[in-house]
Amino acid sequence: MLTRFTAVLLTTVTLSAFSFQLSAFAAETPPTVSDSDLSSLLTIYKDFHTHPELSTFEQRSSSIVARELKAAGCEVTEHVGKYDQPGATCYGVVGVMKNGDGPVVLVRSDMDALPVHEETGAPYASTVTTKNREGKDVPVMHACGHDIHMTCLIGTARALSKSKDKWHGTILFVGQPAEEVILGADAMMKDGLYTRWPKPNYALAMHDDSDIEAGKIAIIEGYAQAAADSVDVTVKGAGGHGAYPHRTHDPIVLSAQIINAWQTIVSREKDPLDRAVVTVGSIHGGTKHNIIPDEVKMQLTIRTYKPEVRKEILAALDRIAKGCALAAGIPLDRMPEVRVSGETTPAMYNNPELANRAAAAMKVALGNANVVTKDPMMVSEDFPVYSLPDHSIPAFMFYVGAVAPEKIADSKKPGAATLPTLHSSRFLPVADTTIRTGITGMTASVLDLMKR
Ligand SMILES: [Zn+2]
Ligand SMILES: [Zn+2]
C-alpha cells in the first residue's frame, strides 16, 4: 500500500527528474530569436534590401555589418581584402568574438547584390540604379538574398553574445564582399585572413533557397556546388569575300564544328557518374553578310566537382579545338587559343562529419521534419576558398528555405508557373521566417562545435 509519505516523496523525485530533463533540454536548445530581436533584425534587413550595392561596391552594407557586430561585442576590422587591381578598396569585415580558450569557428556572410531591376512589388523594394565597374548605369537588387545572410550574421552574433555561458573559444564573423564575381573570398585570404586572425578549425555559411519552404533548412553532404571555370577561346582563320570561301579559312564554320565536337566531352569522354557541364555562353564573329572574318571569339563556363575531371575537361577543350582546326587545314601558327580566365572557383565540399553534426544540432533546434536533404547543384560559390584547396579546414554551407509553403504547393499544380529562382527580379524571401530559421540553424551549429 502506498503511504501518503511515499506518494509525496515519489512526486518530488519525479518532478525534480522532470525539471532536470527540462534544463538538459534547455542547454541543448540554442536561444531562440525573440520577437523584439526579430523586429529589430527585420528593420536592418529591409534597410539592406532597399539599399543594395553591386559587387566590390559594398561600402554602406559593410559599415552596417561592422557597426552591428561591434554592438554585439565583437572586435571589428573593416576594409579587409586586397583585389589584384591596384588601389581598389575592398570592403571585407572581420568581427572577432572571444570567449576564452577553445575552438575557432568562422561564420561567413556575403554582402553584394546584383544588376537586376526589382519587380517584387515589396514596399521595401529597391529602386536603386548605379554605375557598374564599366561605368554603365544598371539597376541593383538583392536578388540572391545576401541581405538575408547579413541579417542572419548579425542575429547570430547577437544570440551568441547573449549565451556566452554555453560556449567557449573564438568566433570570426566575416562579412565578405564580391561573392557574385567570385573575387571576395580570395581578396580576404590575400589580405591575411588566416594569418592576422586565428586560423579557424571550422568554417560555416548559409545561403537562402528559392525552392525550399521557409522554416526548413536543407543539407547536402559531400560535394554540394560545382567548381566554375570561365574559358575564353579565339578561333583563328583567314578572312575574305563571302563569295570566295575557297580562298579563305572560314573561322565561323570551324567554330560550329568545334562547338559540336565539344559536346562529346561530357557525353563520351567523361565517366557518366562524374558531374560536369560544358556551356558555350557567347560567340562573336564577323561584321557583315558577305565578309568571312579573320577570327571568332567564344566564352565558356565549365562546371565540375572533382579536380581531375576539371583538368581532363580543360585539356579536352584545347585538344578538340586544335584537332578541328588541323582538320580544316588551318596553318599551325593560327591554331585556336583556349585560355582559362581569372574567374575560377573551386567546388564546394561539405565535410560529411561536420554536415552531420550540424544537421543533428539543427534538428534539436528546429525539429526533425524541418531539416531536410537536397541534391547537389552545378552553381558555384566562393565559400569553398575558406576550406583551403586541400579541404583541410572542414567547411559546411546549409540552405535556408525562403519560400511560403503555399507558393510551393501552388507551383506543383499542373500548368502552374515556376517559382522565381535566385537572381530573378521577382525573388523575395519570406523575411521573418527565413531570418529566424537561419539564425536558429547557425546558432545551433556554432554552439554544438563550441559547447562547454
Ligand atoms: Zn547569387
Ligand atoms: Zn548568393
Side-chain angles (χ1 to χ4, degrees):
M1 196 178 107
L2 202 68
T3 63
R4 202 174 156 193
F5 173 69
T6 28
V8 169
L9 190 69
L10 272 180
T11 314
T12 317
V13 169
T14 319
L15 266 181
S16 61
F18 180 61
S19 61
F20 169 76
Q21 274 172 1
L22 261 188
S23 66
F25 180 72
E28 287 169 17
T29 309
T32 47
V33 185
S34 73
D35 288 344
S36 70
D37 276 348
L38 188 64
S39 108
S40 127
L41 289 165
L42 277 172
T43 307
I44 293 173
Y45 163 73
K46 287 176 185 169
D47 181 55
F48 281 139
H49 192 88
T50 313
H51 301 98
E53 291 167 307
L54 288 180
S55 308
T56 74
F57 293 96
E58 308 86 346
Q59 185 172 22
R60 183 180 188 276
S61 310
S62 65
S63 71
I64 295 169
V65 170
R67 182 192 74 204
E68 293 300 326
L69 289 179
K70 240 175 250 168
C74 296
E75 273 169 38
V76 175
T77 309
E78 290 181 73
H79 300 130
V80 181
K82 270 191 190 135
Y83 294 124
D84 289 341
Q85 198 188 343
T89 309
C90 186
Y91 292 107
V93 179
V94 179
V96 184
M97 191 178 282
K98 285 187 187 147
N99 193 17
D101 289 340
V104 179
V105 176
L106 179 148
V107 181
R108 172 272 212 173
S109 163
D110 34 21
M111 303 189 290
D112 50 337
L114 288 158
V116 172
H117 172 68
E118 180 157 359
E119 293 175 313
T120 62
Y124 49 91
S126 160
T127 54
V128 173
T129 55
T130 188
K131 292 216 185 294
N132 67 10
R133 283 190 288 176
E134 289 75 45
K136 206 176 132 205
D137 286 316
V138 289
V140 195
M141 172 189 175
H142 266 299
C144 203
H146 299 184
D147 44 358
I148 294 273
H149 309 167
M150 287 186 277
T151 311
C152 288
L153 188 80
I154 294 165
T156 303
R158 287 182 182 180
L160 289 165
S161 78
K162 277 188 227 155
S163 53
K164 280 194 162 173
D165 54 321
K166 293 194 175 70
W167 61 275
H168 66 125
T170 301
I171 309 173
L172 303 176
F173 291 100
V174 170
Q176 183 211 298
E179 185 279 326
E180 295 289 359
V181 290
I182 47 178
L183 291 174
D186 245 358
M188 293 191 78
M189 291 303 246
K190 279 186 193 141
D191 200 17
L193 184 64
Y194 285 0
T195 49
R196 290 165 63 191
W197 290 275
K199 198 167 157 181
N201 301 103
Y202 303 98
L204 300 173
M206 69 172 77
H207 205 294
D208 62 346
D209 193 294
S210 57
D211 294 318
I212 308 264
E213 289 176 17
K216 291 192 173 175
I217 282 177
I219 311 278
I220 305 172
E221 195 189 305
Y223 280 112
Q225 291 186 225
D229 287 284
S230 296
V231 178
D232 291 295
V233 178
T234 305
V235 176
K236 298 174 197 170
H241 201 292
Y244 301 130
H246 56 297
R247 291 170 63 181
T248 70
H249 287 298
D250 185 347
I252 291 194
V253 172
L254 175 55
S255 297
Q257 287 168 339
I258 291 173
I259 292 170
N260 276 331
W262 278 338
Q263 305 312 308
T264 60
I265 299 175
V266 170
S267 69
R268 302 290 86 179
E269 289 199 25
K270 178 192 65 58
D271 183 336
L273 296 178
D274 286 325
R275 294 180 170 92
V277 178
V278 171
T279 290
V280 180
S282 138
I283 174 163
H284 291 276
T287 53
K288 197 174 181 301
H289 309 67
N290 59 356
I291 302 173
I292 292 169
D294 284 319
E295 61 178 34
V296 170
K297 288 192 181 288
M298 295 191 261
Q299 295 179 308
L300 283 68
T301 187
I302 308 303
R303 305 295 168 113
T304 52
Y305 279 122
K306 296 181 182 165
E308 59 272 24
V309 176
R310 172 181 179 265
K311 244 171 110 180
E312 283 163 19
I313 289 187
L314 294 175
L317 286 173
D318 189 59
R319 190 195 73 236
I320 289 173
K322 290 195 170 119
C324 290
L326 279 176
I330 303 288
L332 285 177
D333 62 345
R334 301 277 297 158
M335 283 295 107
E337 280 172 15
V338 178
R339 258 184 328 105
V340 179
S341 85
E343 275 189 29
T344 289
T345 192
M348 193 163 79
Y349 182 72
N350 279 330
N351 178 283
E353 200 188 319
L354 176 60
N356 284 320
R357 215 177 140 172
M362 290 195 248
K363 281 178 181 170
V364 174
L366 293 162
N368 279 348
N370 289 324
V371 181
V372 297
T373 54
K374 183 178 161 80
D375 289 331
M377 297 173 281
M378 298 314 285
V379 288
S380 313
E381 244 296 336
D382 67 1
F383 177 63
V385 168
Y386 298 97
S387 183
L388 300 181
D390 58 357
H391 306 309
S392 56
I393 297 178
F396 174 54
M397 169 178 272
F398 59 87
Y399 303 92
V400 186
V403 191
E406 59 276 14
K407 282 199 180 162
I408 292 197
D410 285 349
S411 75
K412 288 182 178 155
K413 288 179 187 157
T418 55
L419 291 167
T421 61
L422 296 179
H423 291 203
S424 157
S425 60
R426 293 178 299 114
F427 173 64
L428 186 70
V430 182
D432 50 357
T433 315
T434 308
I435 289 167
R436 199 192 278 270
T437 310
I439 295 170
T440 307
M442 185 58 86
T443 309
S445 305
V446 174
L447 278 177
D448 183 65
L449 295 172
M450 307 183 83
K451 64 187 163 213
R452 284 186 185 277

